[in-house]
Every structure is written in C-alpha cells, then in structure tokens.
Amino acid sequence: MTRVKLVSRVSRPAVRHACSLLAVSSRLARGLASRTSEPPAVSGTIPAGRVGSNYAMSNGGGVVSSSTHLLDLLEEPIPGVGTYDDFHTIDWVREKCKDRERHRKINSKKKESAWEFTKSLYDAWSGWLVVTLTGLASGALAGVIDIAADWMNDLKEGVCLSAMWFNHEQCCWGSNETTFAERDKCPQWNSWAELILGQAEGPGSYIMNYFMYTFWALSFAFLAVCLVKVFAPYACGSGIPEIKTILSGFIIRGYLGKWTLMIKTITLVLAVASGLSLGKEGPLVHVACCCGNIFSYLFPKYSKNEAKKREVLSAASAAGVSVAFGAPIGGVLFSLEEVSYYFPLKTLWRSFFAALVAAFVLRSINPFGNSRLVLFYVEYHTPWYLFELVPFILLGVFGGLWGAFFIRANIAWCRRRKSTRFGKYPVLEVITVAAITAIVAFPNPYTRQNTSELIKELFTDCGPLESSQLCQYRSQMNGTRAYSDVSSQPSTPGVYSAMWQLCLALIFKIVMTIFTFGLKVPSGLFIPSMAIGAIAGRIVGIAVEQLAYYHHDWFLFKEWCEVGADCITPGLYAMVGAAACLGGVTRMTVSLVVIVFELTGGLEYIVPLMAAVMTSKWVGDAFGREGIYEAHIRLNGYPFLDAKEEFTHTTLAREVMRPRRSDPPLAVLTQDDLTVEELQTIISETSYNGFPVIVSKESQRLVGFALRRDITIAIENARRKQEGIMLNSRVYFTQHAPTLPADSPRPLKLRSILDMSPFTVTDHTPMEIVVDIFRKLGLRQCLVTHNGRLLGIITKKDILRHMAQMANQDPESIMFN
C-alpha cells in the first residue's frame, strides 16, 4: 500500500473533502425542504424560537402536517450542542467544518457595512493577537520564574545584607573586595553560619550551613507539594505528556486553567529552589500553554472551536521552549516535531511569531544579567577535528543507553507508585526524596549548586579567567602563555579531585532523577538529562585532552594536533554529551540539535551534535521506540495515537469492531420509531459516547450518527423551550415528522444534531488503513458496514486496545480511567 506523506498530521485535504460532503448534504436537505414545505394548517403567528417545530393536526384524518421551515434548527443552534465532556476526544472534522462555515458567513457579510468589515478584520487578526499576548505573558512569567528561582536557590546558603532581594552573584557585583580565587565571597554576602554563629570557617559553621541548606530545601519542597495537592493537582509533573495528548484532541478540563497556571508558576520556583533533580524547562511549556488557553477565551474564533484552540496551544508550546532555552527556532521545531498533532502552515508562522515575542520579552527582562536568554550560553573558539567523531559517537551511545535505562526504570517506579500504598502519600514521598537529595548533595560542590549553574560550568571552556577546579591546570600558568600552551601542561591534583567529584555527581544525578521525575511537584526532565550528559561529556573530554598531552606522538594526535596548541575542548564534549543524553530520553532529533546550536551560537559544531543525537536515538530505539513522554502517556492510559508508531499487523476492521460475538448487540437508534422515554432509557443504560441512527431494525441501513451529549442537551433544551414535549413524544431524525394519531403529544425533531455523513469503512478494510484514517483525520469513531448495512463501530479506544493486544500487553490496563 502506498502512503501519502502529509505536512500536517491531520490531513487537510481529507478534512476539506469531509466538509464538502457535509455542505452538499446540507444543501440537498435544504433544497428538499424548500420544495416540499407546505404552509401551516393552522394560521397564526409562529412564536420566536419555535421555527421549524410548529405543527398542526388536521381534524379529518388525524394526520400531523409538518410545516418544516427553510431555516429549521440548523439556523438556530441548540446551546451546548457541539461541546465536549471532560476526558473525551474532540471531532476534528466537525470542528474544521464549523470553522469553515463561520469563515464563509463572515466573508459573505463583510461587504454589507463598515461594522461587518471591521468585524472581519478583527477575526482575521485575532490569531496574531492571541499569539502576541501568549508570547508576552510567557516571556514575562519565564523572567519572573528565573529571577525568583535564582534568589531562592541562593537563600539556602546565605543572604545579602545590603539588599535582601539580591542573589549571591548580584550581591557581590558592586563589591571591590572580591579576589580572583574567591570571586563569590564579599562582605555584603553572609552565610547562615556567619549570621547565626558569627564565624565563617570551622566544623560548627559547616554543620550550621549543612543544616540550613537541608532545612530550606525541605521547606521549599513541602510548600510546593502542599500547594499542588490542595489547589491545583494538575500543576504537578512536566506537563508535556498531557499537552501532547490535549493537542491530539483530548479534553482535560482545568489542566490549562488559571488556577493551574498560578500554582504551577509558584510551585515551579519552589521545586527548583529545593534542589530536587528536576528542571523548569518542561513545566515552562505547560505554563505557556496555560497562557495560550486563557487568552484564547478572549476571542470567539478560538474559544468556541476546540480545533482552532489547539493551533494556539501549538504556538504557545513553541513560546515555552523559546523562553526555556533561549531558542526561538528550536521552539518552533520542538512544537512541530514533538508535541503538535495538527500543524498547518499558518500555525508555523504564528508559532514562529509567538517564540519571537516571548524571546524578546525575556531578553528585555535580562534575568541572568548576561544579556543572554539562558544561563549557560557559551562560545567556543577552537575547531573540532575528524578523529573526535569517535568519542562524540561514544557519547551518543552512552546517551542512548542512559535514555533506555531511565525510561524503563522511571516507568517501573511510577507504575509501582500507582499500584502500591506508597503513591497515596505524595507529601511524604516528596519530603523523603527532598531530604535524601539535600543530605547527599551538600558535601559535593557539583551537586550542591544549581543544576543550570553546573551545566554552565561544565560547558564553559577553560581560559585564564576561570577559577573552576576543573581549570586549575590552566589558571596556574603565567603571562601570555596562559592560553596558548594549554596542552603542554598536565593536570593538577585539583583536576583529578574534580573528576572524582564529577563521577560521584554523575551517579547521584542518575539515581535521583529516576525517583524525582513523576513526583507531585512541577518537574522537568530537560535540565537533569543535560546535566548527566554534560558530566559524562566533560569527563570524556578531559580524558581525551590528557591522552593527547601524554601521547601527542600517536598517529591521531600527531596528524591533527600541533605540539603546544590547544587541540581538545572539554566543554564541547560536555555540550555534545548533554545533547546525546537528552536525545536518548526524549528521542528528539532535529529540534534538539537546533536548540543546542542556539545555545552555543556556533555553526561549526552541528556535525558533532547531529552524530551524537542520531547515535543516541538509534541506540535508544534498539531497546524501545518510545520516548519518556510517550511512555508516560501509555502509563496514564491517555487515548493518544502516536503518528511515529507504525501499524504492521494484517488484521481487518471486522476483527476489531464492536460488538464482538460475545458482546451484546450494538446500541442503535431508529430514525422515527423511538419515544423520548425510550431514548432516555437507552442513554441511561449505556455508557457509549454516541449512537448510530438507522432506518429500522429490519433494514439496518445507516442514516447518521448522534452524540450522547448532544442528545441529552437537545432533550433538556426542548423541554425547557417547547411546550408539549412529554415522555411519550415521538423522536424523529428525519426531515419531516412521521404520521401520528391526532391525540399524540408534540413530536421532538433532532435532525439538527445528526451527523449525516459519518465516516464509514467496510468490514474487509485493513486495519492499517483504518489506523491511518484515525491518525490523519483525528476521528473519534468510524462505523463499519457491509453492503450498506451497519455491522459495528470502531472507536479510538478500540484501536488502542487492539494495538496493545498485538504488542502482547493487557488491553484493559492501559485505558484512561
């Protein structure tokens, strides 16, 4: 079978075809109505709101004569029809058709008056307005989060006496008493031991600083988990798995609401400041999507259409990555590659604009004081050599192995958390993990400091102005030879000590990240994964550098490195290792390379990055094709059809459809034989989200499909606004009312809620085609027929169950509850 490669994951031509089918059927129905409509048998004024529902009974034959009006109920939609319940999937085709109908209506009216023309301009520019507001809010919130997190992180170690709102670095900016070796010490900054005990050195001061560090870490973690548990349970975690699911069409009420935004912003600062092995980059995507969702309610174009709203959320996710990494282009590619399900060209432009606005606002705030968008921006001045591809590829292998190990270990722990009593005490779990993290992290300077500062130190190339322990062998050189004769100097004991500390930090980060990701606090995965890769890369870089020094006469080094020249850049290895580990965990490729490239600002390092990222993806895919976000989606049972996953089984639609042989018959509605009471009984006794409508039980000929929520709302609306609707009133989905006795109560017409062109396949259709239809059109259900007769129905959950069964998994254990 030949596949068609589409730009967007929900097929735009197919949506247009479906919309045209609906439009044609609607016009035909209206044409028939105009030809067959008769004047009312009883003269009089038709009350407002009763158009299309009036009827009269003739005295002679007791036959109801319908006076179906041209407008019918389609011109006056029932309030609430077309909306969705919580934890349900949207109908992409219906939403796109609604938007096209709205667009045609606006275009047809814009020439009538200046006001209508102004409304059309407002509608056209509303998309740019909403992404502008989203970008402004995302950039502002990211700046506030960065500043607050840095201040609270330094609060664990001390306080600035001259200005309480300054962090450690800002406190010492104006001091003239700092030295080169101890540039972070100044009289204005006092540690807790100096404030409480009055001494800066000695065992007592060390113990006091240790105690205060642990105390503040536990306080921040406790406050964060309590705020999440009490006010906004959806504010926990990264948010990216749920955003991927929401962008695929799933409804999770409150996940992108104002309370979630407020609590996530506050608790993200607390969680990062607590020192837990997590980052703020993933949750910033959630924060940006909350901003996009809230602002979309200001514009009816997006608030009343779930598909259009998801275009705004795609742009918002790009803005979130833009402010998280200072990478606007990488943010757009991240939204396209990783999170978005439907990404038309218009959304690409708006995502780019939202990322631009967000980056501009963050640059204006300048939260790090370095005129950069991120803390660990670096520039390298030494080119890389061909032989270095070998250690770069080895770092890619390490990243792939780490990613596969982390996904399996973290999912196993999260599954155990869900299935045991330990998961019922999230506050205790967070406090326990925070206590272990603080107690173990304090003695090691590389685990004590903020993870972003650690990555900055590992990325930075050693120069004459660096005082890091990793650069001691360079800072000891004198004069003009301090930078040029780097390779002629061996490492000092300080470098070896730093290497041991980095090895311990690597083990610590690996273990704690497994248990931290998934806690009931905002927790990102980008920064911990990058830190693990940066530590491993820096260790490898220093090892290769020393190998080049001691064995400069080897063929590899003799060919490429001159004696006394700076040949190896350990910071570059750290950057490549960070990209490899993040790629191994998330399985991102193009967007990841661009993000890291924008971090470094150098074009010549793209090839090492591409080699390491692709190697990590290949190695990781050898153990399992899904990344950490897809694994958590599957763990939570969200109805998400991954477009990257191929369906290779040779099953047919009749093998997957329901009802099966052991199931009860399919619940269907007849077009004109049911009463209101019978219809309500069917709804109350079943839990299906919709019902096929057929001509009769005998013929089983398909008429259309009606959603459960729409039927319920329509009945309630009819009882409230129409007189004479009773339990024994006849319900009909046809254009004209059926023939009824003279003493019958008023019938209820529900044709306006009927989807008269549902997607159908035959029972012999291969499931590979059915799965492609669901993915590219975003369908909720598909009806199965045989020679025009209804046989069954296939829903998205049926496909997910079938795919799980084909993968030898329990099909019922993965479904969302």
Side-chain angles (χ1 to χ4, degrees), residues 566-637:
D566 189 6
C567 180
I568 306 297
T569 306
L572 174 61
Y573 285 75
M575 183 188 71
V576 172
C581 283
L582 185 54
V585 171
T586 63
R587 307 296 161 85
M588 295 190 300
T589 52
V590 180
S591 58
L592 177 58
V593 171
V594 174
I595 287 172
V596 180
F597 150 67
E598 290 187 85
L599 286 178
T600 59
L603 271 172
E604 59 181 320
Y605 305 112
I606 283 186
V607 173
L609 289 171
M610 293 175 67
V613 169
M614 283 308 303
T615 303
S616 68
K617 178 173 174 56
W618 286 335
V619 173
D621 285 348
F623 295 92
R625 299 186 64 86
E626 60 182 11
I628 184 64
Y629 300 130
E630 290 80 13
H632 272 270
I633 287 173
R634 185 167 55 83
L635 176 67
N636 294 325

Side-chain angles (χ1 to χ4, degrees), residues 565-787:
D566 189 6
C567 180
I568 306 297
T569 306
L572 174 61
Y573 285 75
M575 183 188 71
V576 172
C581 283
L582 185 54
V585 171
T586 63
R587 307 296 161 85
M588 295 190 300
T589 52
V590 180
S591 58
L592 177 58
V593 171
V594 174
I595 287 172
V596 180
F597 150 67
E598 290 187 85
L599 286 178
T600 59
L603 271 172
E604 59 181 320
Y605 305 112
I606 283 186
V607 173
L609 289 171
M610 293 175 67
V613 169
M614 283 308 303
T615 303
S616 68
K617 178 173 174 56
W618 286 335
V619 173
D621 285 348
F623 295 92
R625 299 186 64 86
E626 60 182 11
I628 184 64
Y629 300 130
E630 290 80 13
H632 272 270
I633 287 173
R634 185 167 55 83
L635 176 67
N636 294 325
Y638 296 136
F640 180 77
L641 275 175
D642 193 358
K644 303 173 187 175
E645 187 177 354
E646 294 186 2
F647 186 88
T648 57
H649 307 288
T650 58
T651 51
L652 300 178
R654 65 183 178 188
E655 302 174 32
V656 181
M657 72 175 190
R658 291 183 180 272
R660 307 283 177 82
R661 291 182 178 179
S662 58
D663 294 340
L666 182 66
V668 296
L669 309 177
T670 53
Q671 64 177 2
D672 55 8
D673 289 344
L674 291 174
T675 63
V676 172
E677 184 178 15
E678 292 171 344
L679 183 57
Q680 288 181 329
T681 302
I682 293 175
I683 292 175
S684 63
E685 291 180 352
T686 60
S687 59
Y688 305 121
N689 292 328
F691 303 93
V693 179
I694 58 177
V695 175
S696 64
K697 296 280 189 179
E698 294 76 22
S699 68
Q700 292 288 320
R701 299 291 179 182
L702 184 64
V703 175
F705 192 84
L707 294 177
R708 175 196 193 93
R709 177 181 174 85
D710 291 352
I711 295 173
T712 304
I713 292 175
I715 292 176
E716 293 176 355
N717 183 77
R719 284 179 168 174
R720 187 171 58 253
K721 293 187 176 181
Q722 299 180 22
E723 298 178 0
I725 300 299
M726 304 173 66
L727 287 177
N728 59 342
S729 296
R730 184 70 62 89
V731 177
Y732 65 100
F733 295 91
T734 55
Q735 186 68 28
H736 305 287
T739 302
L740 298 175
D743 57 346
S744 298
R746 184 192 194 111
L748 175 60
K749 183 176 183 179
L750 297 182
R751 185 175 178 83
S752 61
I753 67 170
L754 182 65
D755 179 8
M756 292 177 288
S757 57
F759 275 86
T760 60
V761 296
T762 66
D763 54 337
H764 291 282
T765 305
M767 277 305 298
E768 186 177 12
I769 297 177
V770 176
V771 172
D772 275 347
I773 291 174
F774 270 82
R775 282 174 178 161
K776 294 173 181 176
L777 288 180
L779 298 183
R780 301 179 69 183
Q781 67 277 321
C782 181
L783 301 176
V784 182
T785 61
H786 177 75
N787 293 335

Side-chain angles (χ1 to χ4, degrees), residues 159-225:
V159 68
C160 185
L161 296 180
S162 59
M164 289 284 294
W165 56 89
F166 280 174
N167 61 20
H168 194 168
E169 184 180 6
Q170 294 168 342
C171 188
C172 296
W173 272 350
S175 176
N176 296 323
E177 302 181 32
T178 56
T179 62
F180 177 81
E182 297 180 343
R183 62 184 68 179
D184 60 338
K185 293 186 177 181
C186 60
Q188 290 83 0
W189 179 265
N190 282 20
S191 66
W192 291 109
E194 292 178 278
L195 288 174
I196 299 174
L197 302 179
Q199 58 181 13
E201 304 294 338
S205 63
Y206 181 85
I207 294 173
M208 177 56 65
N209 288 330
Y210 202 154
F211 172 78
M212 292 304 296
Y213 180 92
T214 307
F215 167 77
W216 284 113
L218 292 176
S219 300
F220 294 154
F222 176 75
L223 186 57
V225 68

Side-chain angles (χ1 to χ4, degrees), residues 80-329:
V81 168
T83 58
Y84 303 94
D85 285 322
D86 201 6
F87 304 123
H88 284 70
T89 304
I90 70 170
D91 190 332
W92 285 90
V93 176
R94 182 167 72 167
E95 296 298 305
K96 296 302 292 183
C97 291
K98 282 168 53 179
D99 183 63
R100 290 185 181 279
E101 190 65 30
R102 180 196 59 80
H103 192 64
R104 291 192 194 99
K105 184 178 179 180
I106 291 175
N107 284 339
S108 64
K109 289 184 176 182
K110 69 179 181 180
K111 296 181 181 180
E112 295 179 359
S113 63
W115 173 246
E116 293 294 339
F117 182 74
T118 305
K119 287 170 63 177
S120 68
L121 288 179
Y122 174 76
D123 181 81
W125 279 93
S126 61
W128 296 101
L129 288 175
V130 70
V131 297
T132 302
L133 293 174
T134 302
L136 291 171
S138 301
L141 287 176
V144 171
I145 289 171
D146 288 336
I147 294 172
D150 283 346
W151 178 77
M152 296 186 71
N153 187 72
D154 288 342
L155 186 64
K156 294 185 297 184
E157 299 182 359
V159 68
C160 185
L161 296 180
S162 59
M164 289 284 294
W165 56 89
F166 280 174
N167 61 20
H168 194 168
E169 184 180 6
Q170 294 168 342
C171 188
C172 296
W173 272 350
S175 176
N176 296 323
E177 302 181 32
T178 56
T179 62
F180 177 81
E182 297 180 343
R183 62 184 68 179
D184 60 338
K185 293 186 177 181
C186 60
Q188 290 83 0
W189 179 265
N190 282 20
S191 66
W192 291 109
E194 292 178 278
L195 288 174
I196 299 174
L197 302 179
Q199 58 181 13
E201 304 294 338
S205 63
Y206 181 85
I207 294 173
M208 177 56 65
N209 288 330
Y210 202 154
F211 172 78
M212 292 304 296
Y213 180 92
T214 307
F215 167 77
W216 284 113
L218 292 176
S219 300
F220 294 154
F222 176 75
L223 186 57
V225 68
C226 287
L227 287 174
V228 168
K229 183 179 180 181
V230 174
F231 294 103
Y234 284 153
C236 68
S238 168
I240 293 182
E242 286 77 13
I243 289 171
K244 282 173 67 76
T245 308
I246 290 172
L247 288 177
S248 72
F250 196 55
I251 301 286
I252 306 179
R253 303 287 183 198
Y255 197 84
L256 302 177
K258 55 183 181 299
W259 270 106
T260 303
L261 172 63
M262 186 187 307
I263 299 301
K264 185 109 182 181
T265 304
I266 297 172
T267 54
L268 178 56
V269 174
L270 294 169
V272 172
S274 68
L276 289 168
S277 183
L278 49 83
K280 59 180 179 292
E281 281 66 21
L284 277 175
V285 178
H286 188 186
V287 168
C289 286
C290 288
C291 295
N293 179 67
I294 292 170
F295 286 124
S296 67
Y297 283 101
L298 302 177
F299 305 90
K301 176 180 179 179
Y302 296 99
S303 63
K304 296 181 179 179
N305 193 298
E306 293 291 341
K308 296 294 291 182
K309 186 185 295 182
R310 274 146 183 78
E311 296 179 15
V312 176
L313 297 182
S314 294
S317 63
V321 175
S322 173
V323 295
F325 289 102
I329 301 175

